[in-house]
Amino acid sequence: GNSVTQMEGPVTLSEEAFLTINCTYTATGYPSLFWYVQYPGEGLQLLLKATKADDKGSNKGFEATYRKETTSFHLEKGSVQVSDSAVYFCALSGITGGFKTIFGAGTRLFVKA
Amino acid sequence: NAGVTQTPKFQVLKTGQSMTLQCAQDMNHNSMYWYRQDPGMGLRLIYYSASEGTTDKGEVPNGYNVSRLNKREFSLRLESAAPSQTSVYFCATIAGGLQETQYFGPGTRLLVL
C-alpha cells in the first residue's frame, strides 16, 4: 500500500551543522510530495513541496528533491539555526484512487546553540 | 484573516462524556479534514468533507461523527469519549485538489480520563 517512512528522531545538532532528514515513500501513481513543519504548540505548516519527478522544493534554506528512481524526498539544510527546532513531517498526496494525504511519523529536531 | 481556527484549545473529559470540537475557516476552501496526532504515528485522518454537504470516513472514524455545517465550519463530535481518544486533534483545509497545500489549525489537546 501507500506509505511514507521517515528517519526516527530525535535528531540533535549544533547550530550551523548540516541537516539531513531521510524520507522514502511507496505509492501508486504519481504523488506530490511535501515537507511540513510543526513548531511547539502549533499546527503543521507547509515547508516545501514538489509535484513531479526531479523537481526541487526549497524554502527558508531547506531543500528536497523528488527522486522517483529511489522513491525518496530527503530534507536538507546547509546550516541549521536554533529556531529550526521543530518536528518535520514528510507527506504524499495525489495518489491514484486516493483521497487523502499520507504523513510520515515525524522527526523531531533539536538545535543547540 | 484568521485562517483555520479551532476551539477549544484544551479539554479534559471523563470516560463516557461527549463533546464537540469546532473548526472554522475563512479561506473559502472547499475541502476540510479532521486528523488526530499521536506520538510516533504521524497524522491519521478521521473524517473529511470534500465540499459543503458531503462527508466521508478516513482511516480511523470509529467513535467519531462529523457535521459540515456550511462551507466555513466542520465539527467533530465524540459521543462517548474513551481514553484511547486522548490525542491532539487538527482541522485542516485545502482549496482544491490534494496536490495543493493543506492549511492546519492550531489543534485541540484532548485528555480523556
Side-chain angles (χ1 to χ4, degrees), chain B residues 16-94:
Chain B
Q17 288 184 318
S18 62
M19 78 162 294
T20 299
L21 284 66
Q22 306 286 354
C23 174
Q25 53 107 355
D26 62 3
M27 306 174 83
N28 202 35
H29 287 175
N30 290 318
S31 302
M32 299 184 75
Y33 300 79
W34 276 106
Y35 294 94
R36 60 179 288 172
Q37 182 181 27
D38 301 295
M41 300 188 73
L43 275 75
R44 293 182 292 170
L45 183 65
I46 305 170
Y47 271 93
Y48 72 103
S49 171
S51 61
E52 185 179 354
T54 69
T55 60
D56 286 285
K57 294 178 180 179
E59 57 183 308
V60 289
N62 291 345
Y64 305 96
N65 285 301
V66 290
S67 295
R68 182 75 183 265
L69 303 169
N70 47 55
K71 191 170 186 178
R72 291 188 64 247
E73 298 172 289
F74 188 39
S75 62
L76 178 72
R77 182 159 179 84
L78 287 69
E79 291 291 351
S80 178
S84 61
Q85 294 178 304
T86 292
S87 189
V88 182
Y89 292 86
F90 288 100
C91 177
T93 71
I94 296 180

Side-chain angles (χ1 to χ4, degrees), chain A residues 41-78:
Chain A
E42 298 183 8
L44 282 70
Q45 56 186 277
L46 179 71
L47 180 60
L48 54 84
K49 69 177 183 181
T51 58
K52 62 183 188 295
D54 300 324
D55 269 2
K56 177 186 283 188
S58 61
N59 186 26
K60 300 181 182 178
F62 290 89
E63 294 183 339
T65 301
Y66 189 163
R67 301 282 188 204
K68 197 170 191 304
E69 63 277 13
T70 54
T71 62
S72 65
F73 193 55
H74 304 321
L75 182 68
E76 297 182 336
K77 186 175 186 183

